[in-house]
Amino acid sequence: MGLPIPKELAPLGPGRCVIDSSLSLIREASAASDVRVILMTDGDRDLTARYVRGKLPGIPVAEVVQDPDAPDMTEAVIALGPWLGHANVLLLPDVIYSWAGDPVTEAATAAVSYGFAVAAVKAGPDQIRDAGALRVWADLTGEDRIAAFEDKPADPSGYNALWGMLAFTSGTFGMDAMRVVAASASKARTGPVTEPPVWGAPVTWLAGFRDCGTWDRYLAELRGS
């Protein structure tokens, strides 16, 4: 965005930045779980690291430089292997989340039961075209699950939601699911993913989220704050 500060620290009001949405979710999760934070950066995020540590007192925070050979976000998360815990939840620092309850813990719990899970929002074609698209269905027990996944689909008509958080375990099943997500993001794999480990993964729900990663979207959020 060309800002003199990292975009996740772009202000939204007195004492409030874009990343505060994610940090609030982490604080809520820490009340019920043993939480550690891995801050994956480009190595030039000292301001962000200090801000996060100041906002999360008592919660361990480690800053890890993104693997330069893994430019895609999901690939870079996979490369964090030695740093990962058993259950992991990927939050996006330039997104404003809306929620009820404790969606981080809900997503982590769902991932532990299956190996992989998403926290999603229902969305229309214009949003889905630029995001991690999902087709969600309810199984025989009424639990929502992934029927298909595709990153930034050329044809969004077969999808009805998009992911806002990825939750995964460090075991083979969870890491295999993350590799499928990474392959779709890099277009090493094209078209809908309709088989395990992504197919059948549980879906938890967010009330909404808004991307602030571009000027237009950030200014829209600022005007609405």
Side-chain angles (χ1 to χ4, degrees), residues 133 135 148-155 159 180-181 183-195 198:
R135 182 163 71 248
F149 162 78
E150 186 178 357
D151 194 78
K152 298 181 177 65
D155 178 7
Y159 302 97
V180 171
V181 173
S184 184
S186 68
K187 299 307 177 186
R189 173 168 183 157
T190 58
V193 175
T194 56
E195 69 276 346
V198 171

Side-chain angles (χ1 to χ4, degrees), residues 7 18 20 25 28 62 65 69 76 111 120 125 128 141-142 162 180-181 184 186 191 200 217:
K7 63 181 179 179
V18 171
D20 279 309
L25 283 164
E28 290 190 14
V65 176
D69 295 325
I128 287 170
T141 69
L162 50 89
V180 171
V181 173
S184 184
S186 68
R217 290 169 176 171

Side-chain angles (χ1 to χ4, degrees), residues 3 22 33 65 79 151 166 217:
L3 295 169
S22 292
S33 308
V65 176
D151 194 78
L166 298 178
R217 290 169 176 171

Side-chain angles (χ1 to χ4, degrees), residues 3 5 29 31 43 46 49 51 56 63 69 73 75 86 93 96 115 124 131 140 142-144 156 165 194 198 206:
L3 295 169
I5 57 173
D46 289 347
Y51 187 85
L56 299 177
E63 182 184 4
D69 295 325
M73 176 184 61
E75 291 177 347
H86 174 59
I96 305 294
L140 294 177
E143 183 175 1
D144 289 326
M165 302 178 195
T194 56
V198 171
L206 298 160

Side-chain angles (χ1 to χ4, degrees), residues 8 12 16-28 73 89-104 107 118-121 162-167 204-212 221:
E8 62 271 11
L12 292 173
R16 189 163 62 95
C17 300
V18 171
I19 198 174
D20 279 309
S21 173
S22 292
L23 301 184
S24 294
L25 283 164
I26 292 167
R27 277 195 300 271
E28 290 190 14
M73 176 184 61
V89 181
L90 171 64
L91 279 74
L92 305 173
D94 56 356
V95 158
I96 305 294
Y97 292 99
S98 301
W99 68 91
D102 181 359
V104 172
V118 298
V121 295
L162 50 89
W163 70 262
M165 302 178 195
L166 298 178
T204 63
W205 293 100
L206 298 160
F209 74 85
R210 302 178 298 283
D211 183 2
C212 292
E221 183 67 27

Side-chain angles (χ1 to χ4, degrees), residues 11 13-14 41 43 45 52 62 83 106 117 124-125 127 134 136 174 184 188-190 193 195 198-199 211 215 218 223:
T41 77
R45 286 292 202 277
V52 169
W83 293 86
E106 289 173 11
Q127 292 173 287
L134 304 167
V136 179
S184 184
R189 173 168 183 157
T190 58
V193 175
E195 69 276 346
V198 171
W199 179 90
D211 183 2
W215 267 113
Y218 167 63
R223 293 187 186 106

